[in-house]
Amino acid sequence: MPGGEFWFLPSVNERTQSLVLPVQKVVSWLMDLLDLPMDKAKLDLGGEKAKRKDEGTYDSMERTLYNWRDGKTPHIQSISSYFPDDAKLEFKGTFVLDGQQSHADCFAAAKAFIQRKGLDADALRDQIPITQPGVIEAILAGESPADIEQEFIRLLSIRYAKPKMQTVRQRLRVARMVQDGYKRLVKFLCRDIDPACTDPYQNKVRQLLAIVETIYNLSIGAYKNCDNRAEEDAWFESKLAPWDKETIFLSILP
């Protein structure tokens, strides 16, 4: 998770109001970097071992990727076999910096990449950790100092970097682990509730996820706004409601 939204926790898509699971997010990240239709991308999966099999192997892998993108939890063996180290995936949707370019050329390349990908400020705030209101808008308008532009370019190059196969496997495995645990926990705590349920009053696990997100975001905020551990603790606690301090967060305070 280079920055932005929680890739490895289920979350609600604000536009569709549907639950998006971790594997779905990682597959979307992968397809975005590949920037190829699935029927083209499948031909690079599986490495040399897949090439020695019949054409139906690629069709099977394509169907499996569609299933993952629809919310099915992968088999751990499939992740390893689809993305071995010798898989020659061609990532057409990545942003690669040229170390020999001037800052002006790098910034122009970044803006051209953003335009080609159809990204606006709202979309970028979900992808890179620059979330303060108006900051990305000012950067894109050319109204920010060079050091802010450089940080923006750096974060963009991390988020849209060409990944190693090890990175792809790792992110899919983490997403699979959380997704499987989430479904099991819903079944255990809310026996008659579909894991796709977005109502936190029915799907109690969504309440747990909200607590995790709150703790994570407040921890990051405390680190960014304070100079030492004591200040971080005080800042963190100052953001909690009094009734939450005595209930939900009692076990981690002071």
Side-chain angles (χ1 to χ4, degrees), residues 75-88:
H75 293 293
I76 195 72
Q77 296 86 351
S78 297
I79 295 173
S80 299
S81 62
Y82 287 13
F83 302 99
D85 288 333
D86 64 349
K88 306 297 183 183

PDB file of all heavy atoms in Angstrom, residues 75-88:
ATOM      1  N   HIS A  75      -6.884 -19.318  -4.624  1.00  0.00           N
ATOM      2  CA  HIS A  75      -6.073 -20.371  -4.025  1.00  0.00           C
ATOM      3  C   HIS A  75      -4.631 -19.878  -3.984  1.00  0.00           C
ATOM      4  O   HIS A  75      -4.147 -19.262  -4.931  1.00  0.00           O
ATOM      5  CB  HIS A  75      -6.162 -21.661  -4.844  1.00  0.00           C
ATOM      6  CG  HIS A  75      -7.515 -22.294  -4.822  1.00  0.00           C
ATOM      7  ND1 HIS A  75      -8.065 -22.845  -3.688  1.00  0.00           N
ATOM      8  CD2 HIS A  75      -8.452 -22.444  -5.793  1.00  0.00           C
ATOM      9  CE1 HIS A  75      -9.260 -23.324  -3.957  1.00  0.00           C
ATOM     10  NE2 HIS A  75      -9.526 -23.095  -5.225  1.00  0.00           N
ATOM     11  N   ILE A  76      -3.940 -20.144  -2.908  1.00  0.00           N
ATOM     12  CA  ILE A  76      -2.570 -19.654  -2.754  1.00  0.00           C
ATOM     13  C   ILE A  76      -1.666 -20.203  -3.862  1.00  0.00           C
ATOM     14  O   ILE A  76      -0.754 -19.511  -4.341  1.00  0.00           O
ATOM     15  CB  ILE A  76      -2.029 -20.002  -1.344  1.00  0.00           C
ATOM     16  CG1 ILE A  76      -0.779 -19.190  -1.035  1.00  0.00           C
ATOM     17  CG2 ILE A  76      -1.765 -21.486  -1.213  1.00  0.00           C
ATOM     18  CD1 ILE A  76      -1.038 -17.747  -0.766  1.00  0.00           C
ATOM     19  N   GLN A  77      -1.934 -21.454  -4.308  1.00  0.00           N
ATOM     20  CA  GLN A  77      -1.105 -22.042  -5.355  1.00  0.00           C
ATOM     21  C   GLN A  77      -1.267 -21.303  -6.681  1.00  0.00           C
ATOM     22  O   GLN A  77      -0.321 -21.201  -7.478  1.00  0.00           O
ATOM     23  CB  GLN A  77      -1.445 -23.531  -5.547  1.00  0.00           C
ATOM     24  CG  GLN A  77      -1.154 -24.399  -4.346  1.00  0.00           C
ATOM     25  CD  GLN A  77      -2.313 -24.430  -3.347  1.00  0.00           C
ATOM     26  OE1 GLN A  77      -3.275 -23.661  -3.478  1.00  0.00           O
ATOM     27  NE2 GLN A  77      -2.225 -25.328  -2.375  1.00  0.00           N
ATOM     28  N   SER A  78      -2.467 -20.791  -6.936  1.00  0.00           N
ATOM     29  CA  SER A  78      -2.719 -20.080  -8.193  1.00  0.00           C
ATOM     30  C   SER A  78      -1.896 -18.804  -8.266  1.00  0.00           C
ATOM     31  O   SER A  78      -1.381 -18.445  -9.332  1.00  0.00           O
ATOM     32  CB  SER A  78      -4.205 -19.751  -8.326  1.00  0.00           C
ATOM     33  OG  SER A  78      -4.978 -20.933  -8.397  1.00  0.00           O
ATOM     34  N   ILE A  79      -1.766 -18.118  -7.149  1.00  0.00           N
ATOM     35  CA  ILE A  79      -0.979 -16.889  -7.129  1.00  0.00           C
ATOM     36  C   ILE A  79       0.462 -17.186  -7.533  1.00  0.00           C
ATOM     37  O   ILE A  79       1.064 -16.471  -8.343  1.00  0.00           O
ATOM     38  CB  ILE A  79      -1.036 -16.236  -5.736  1.00  0.00           C
ATOM     39  CG1 ILE A  79      -2.465 -15.779  -5.425  1.00  0.00           C
ATOM     40  CG2 ILE A  79      -0.059 -15.055  -5.645  1.00  0.00           C
ATOM     41  CD1 ILE A  79      -2.655 -15.266  -4.011  1.00  0.00           C
ATOM     42  N   SER A  80       1.015 -18.248  -6.981  1.00  0.00           N
ATOM     43  CA  SER A  80       2.408 -18.609  -7.286  1.00  0.00           C
ATOM     44  C   SER A  80       2.577 -19.039  -8.738  1.00  0.00           C
ATOM     45  O   SER A  80       3.565 -18.680  -9.388  1.00  0.00           O
ATOM     46  CB  SER A  80       2.878 -19.729  -6.353  1.00  0.00           C
ATOM     47  OG  SER A  80       2.835 -19.317  -5.009  1.00  0.00           O
ATOM     48  N   SER A  81       1.625 -19.813  -9.260  1.00  0.00           N
ATOM     49  CA  SER A  81       1.778 -20.337 -10.620  1.00  0.00           C
ATOM     50  C   SER A  81       1.479 -19.296 -11.686  1.00  0.00           C
ATOM     51  O   SER A  81       2.064 -19.340 -12.779  1.00  0.00           O
ATOM     52  CB  SER A  81       0.868 -21.558 -10.821  1.00  0.00           C
ATOM     53  OG  SER A  81      -0.495 -21.205 -10.676  1.00  0.00           O
ATOM     54  N   TYR A  82       0.605 -18.338 -11.399  1.00  0.00           N
ATOM     55  CA  TYR A  82       0.272 -17.319 -12.397  1.00  0.00           C
ATOM     56  C   TYR A  82       1.347 -16.238 -12.490  1.00  0.00           C
ATOM     57  O   TYR A  82       1.535 -15.639 -13.547  1.00  0.00           O
ATOM     58  CB  TYR A  82      -1.055 -16.646 -12.050  1.00  0.00           C
ATOM     59  CG  TYR A  82      -2.279 -17.500 -12.276  1.00  0.00           C
ATOM     60  CD1 TYR A  82      -2.180 -18.874 -12.498  1.00  0.00           C
ATOM     61  CD2 TYR A  82      -3.546 -16.949 -12.253  1.00  0.00           C
ATOM     62  CE1 TYR A  82      -3.291 -19.660 -12.679  1.00  0.00           C
ATOM     63  CE2 TYR A  82      -4.679 -17.725 -12.450  1.00  0.00           C
ATOM     64  CZ  TYR A  82      -4.543 -19.085 -12.659  1.00  0.00           C
ATOM     65  OH  TYR A  82      -5.653 -19.864 -12.843  1.00  0.00           O
ATOM     66  N   PHE A  83       2.045 -15.997 -11.368  1.00  0.00           N
ATOM     67  CA  PHE A  83       3.004 -14.891 -11.336  1.00  0.00           C
ATOM     68  C   PHE A  83       4.387 -15.361 -10.880  1.00  0.00           C
ATOM     69  O   PHE A  83       4.928 -14.858  -9.894  1.00  0.00           O
ATOM     70  CB  PHE A  83       2.488 -13.770 -10.421  1.00  0.00           C
ATOM     71  CG  PHE A  83       1.142 -13.236 -10.830  1.00  0.00           C
ATOM     72  CD1 PHE A  83      -0.018 -13.664 -10.188  1.00  0.00           C
ATOM     73  CD2 PHE A  83       1.037 -12.334 -11.874  1.00  0.00           C
ATOM     74  CE1 PHE A  83      -1.258 -13.188 -10.584  1.00  0.00           C
ATOM     75  CE2 PHE A  83      -0.200 -11.852 -12.269  1.00  0.00           C
ATOM     76  CZ  PHE A  83      -1.358 -12.280 -11.624  1.00  0.00           C
ATOM     77  N   PRO A  84       4.974 -16.329 -11.602  1.00  0.00           N
ATOM     78  CA  PRO A  84       6.338 -16.762 -11.259  1.00  0.00           C
ATOM     79  C   PRO A  84       7.342 -15.684 -11.654  1.00  0.00           C
ATOM     80  O   PRO A  84       7.010 -14.728 -12.367  1.00  0.00           O
ATOM     81  CB  PRO A  84       6.519 -18.017 -12.117  1.00  0.00           C
ATOM     82  CG  PRO A  84       5.652 -17.764 -13.313  1.00  0.00           C
ATOM     83  CD  PRO A  84       4.450 -17.029 -12.783  1.00  0.00           C
ATOM     84  N   ASP A  85       8.562 -15.841 -11.200  1.00  0.00           N
ATOM     85  CA  ASP A  85       9.584 -14.823 -11.479  1.00  0.00           C
ATOM     86  C   ASP A  85       9.870 -14.679 -12.971  1.00  0.00           C
ATOM     87  O   ASP A  85      10.290 -13.611 -13.416  1.00  0.00           O
ATOM     88  CB  ASP A  85      10.879 -15.164 -10.739  1.00  0.00           C
ATOM     89  CG  ASP A  85      10.756 -14.928  -9.237  1.00  0.00           C
ATOM     90  OD1 ASP A  85       9.949 -14.067  -8.846  1.00  0.00           O
ATOM     91  OD2 ASP A  85      11.458 -15.604  -8.466  1.00  0.00           O
ATOM     92  N   ASP A  86       9.638 -15.742 -13.755  1.00  0.00           N
ATOM     93  CA  ASP A  86       9.944 -15.642 -15.179  1.00  0.00           C
ATOM     94  C   ASP A  86       8.750 -15.198 -16.025  1.00  0.00           C
ATOM     95  O   ASP A  86       8.805 -15.248 -17.258  1.00  0.00           O
ATOM     96  CB  ASP A  86      10.492 -16.975 -15.709  1.00  0.00           C
ATOM     97  CG  ASP A  86       9.474 -18.097 -15.638  1.00  0.00           C
ATOM     98  OD1 ASP A  86       8.419 -17.925 -14.998  1.00  0.00           O
ATOM     99  OD2 ASP A  86       9.740 -19.170 -16.226  1.00  0.00           O
ATOM    100  N   ALA A  87       7.668 -14.759 -15.379  1.00  0.00           N
ATOM    101  CA  ALA A  87       6.532 -14.196 -16.134  1.00  0.00           C
ATOM    102  C   ALA A  87       6.958 -12.863 -16.745  1.00  0.00           C
ATOM    103  O   ALA A  87       7.467 -11.992 -16.049  1.00  0.00           O
ATOM    104  CB  ALA A  87       5.330 -14.009 -15.223  1.00  0.00           C
ATOM    105  N   LYS A  88       6.747 -12.708 -18.040  1.00  0.00           N
ATOM    106  CA  LYS A  88       7.191 -11.506 -18.747  1.00  0.00           C
ATOM    107  C   LYS A  88       6.014 -10.552 -18.968  1.00  0.00           C
ATOM    108  O   LYS A  88       5.586 -10.295 -20.096  1.00  0.00           O
ATOM    109  CB  LYS A  88       7.817 -11.888 -20.093  1.00  0.00           C
ATOM    110  CG  LYS A  88       8.937 -12.908 -19.997  1.00  0.00           C
ATOM    111  CD  LYS A  88      10.122 -12.367 -19.191  1.00  0.00           C
ATOM    112  CE  LYS A  88      11.276 -13.373 -19.170  1.00  0.00           C
ATOM    113  NZ  LYS A  88      12.412 -12.915 -18.335  1.00  0.00           N
TER     114      LYS A  88
END
